[in-house]
Amino acid sequence: MNTPTRRILIIGGGFSGMAAAIQLRRQGHEVELVEIDPGWRSYGAGISLGGPTLRALRTLGVLDTFLTLGAASDGVKICLPHGPQVAELPTPRLAGADVPGGAAILRPVLARILADATVAAGTTVRLGCSFTQITQDAEGVQVSFTDGRTDRYDLVIGADGLYSRTRAALFPDAPQPRYSGQAVWRAVLPRPPEITTCTMWMGPRVKPGVNPVSATEMYLFITEPRPTNTHVDPAEFVPRMRALLADFEAPVMRAIREQINEQSQIVFRPLEGLLLPRPWSQGRVVLIGDAVHATTPHLASGACIGIEDALVLADELGRGTDLTAALAAFEDRRWERCRMVVENSARLGEIEVAGGDKEEHARIMRESHAALAQPI
């Protein structure tokens, strides 16, 4: 079936928006991406990715570059606070027999990989720009921009994140992001030779872990219960991170604790979630990624489901000429998978905060990862 070439605007230059641009350009669509940050920057330390994300990156054609600049390995080691390993979680090789089942990379490095691929695909990228007004009729969408331009498109994709202005314009009564009662700390540190894969230490209050992000670096992550979402002064980052690791007597953790300093690229983030009820589109404007399903990192799948959104949306747009049917089919394919990730991640956080049932926690992890291993 011949697919019409469409003029498509993507609002937001994060992982979901860039993935959509890459895949839609492959189909021959005329794609413009606007990103409000003039530097097109990505903030953060490391990001852990599972097999489903690596599978999606292979589909996008960027996996080889990712494996060169990041780090991939099999399995997740689970240890007690004083050091002994008590379990290893399997990570199936979903991206192919030649690709390990898990990986991590510095978040700005992954952003640069996708940005380079977005530009190479022929996307028109406008930085330091966003929209001021969106109006539509049966034939198209007219968008006014902050740089004074006005243009018309066949489809607009809102990929502008957790606090999406596109979502607010389409659905002014949409639910707001909800604080989870947890926060995560991240830092970038030199990688000792004994850290070869993702390794976690299961403490009663906090859950630290490390994951290699390159040949020489790893990132440290610590999940901490915090009853209220209050500001933390960056001047306190180093002593607070060190204090959170005070009860972990494993030799490698003691060494990691001593390495934390002002050059460790520390990032503190309160964990918030959002699941927008259907519909995710209105007329010729559709939302993807964190704009509709922002999740906490307990399943390491937030980036995954956002990138998958882009792949599925492009797939459905490529099936025929009926835009309304394509957007409905996109939602049908994405709703249950994304709902599962958001709600199960939130439940895992609740169990951790309450010191709850470890069997329930393990069951949710197993069932969620089995579901994510299925084709999209």
Side-chain angles (χ1 to χ4, degrees), residues 171 175 275-282 292 324-336 338-339:
F171 304 108
L275 181 64
L276 183 70
R278 294 182 67 176
W280 290 350
S281 63
Q282 187 180 100
V292 281
T324 300
L327 297 183
F330 159 73
E331 287 189 29
D332 287 342
R333 287 176 61 182
R334 296 306 296 158
W335 168 258
E336 179 55 29
C338 297
R339 181 209 62 78

Side-chain angles (χ1 to χ4, degrees), residues 223-245:
T223 306
E224 176 197 16
R226 291 180 64 87
T228 59
N229 184 2
T230 52
H231 174 73
V232 178
D233 186 343
E236 300 178 19
F237 281 3
V238 170
R240 288 212 181 199
M241 280 198 83
R242 288 185 169 186
L244 289 169
L245 299 179

Side-chain angles (χ1 to χ4, degrees), residues 47 68 82 85 96 109 146 160 190 200 233 256 259 275 304 306 314-315 322 327 335-336 338 349 354-355 372:
I47 180 171
T68 299
H82 59 291
Q85 181 179 330
V109 174
T146 53
D160 48 346
M200 299 171 66
D233 186 343
I256 287 169
Q259 286 182 322
L275 181 64
C304 176
D315 186 38
D322 190 327
L327 297 183
W335 168 258
E336 179 55 29
C338 297
L372 285 164

Side-chain angles (χ1 to χ4, degrees), residues 120-203:
T123 308
T124 299
V125 178
R126 302 187 189 279
L127 301 178
C129 179
S130 188
F131 75 95
T132 58
Q133 188 172 18
I134 298 174
T135 57
Q136 57 179 315
D137 53 41
E139 303 302 321
V141 188
Q142 182 163 303
V143 182
S144 300
F145 295 96
T146 53
D147 61 5
R149 291 184 306 116
T150 299
D151 213 335
R152 191 167 173 83
Y153 305 88
D154 299 303
L155 175 67
V156 173
I157 301 170
D160 48 346
L162 177 61
Y163 287 90
S164 168
R165 290 183 60 244
T166 315
R167 182 183 68 236
L170 256 63
F171 304 108
D173 297 324
Q176 296 300 303
R178 185 177 68 88
Y179 176 58
S180 68
Q182 281 184 306
V184 66
W185 297 80
R186 296 183 175 97
V188 181
L189 301 169
R191 178 168 69 88
E194 61 265 38
I195 298 299
T196 58
T197 190
C198 184
T199 305
M200 299 171 66
W201 290 263
M202 307 306 290

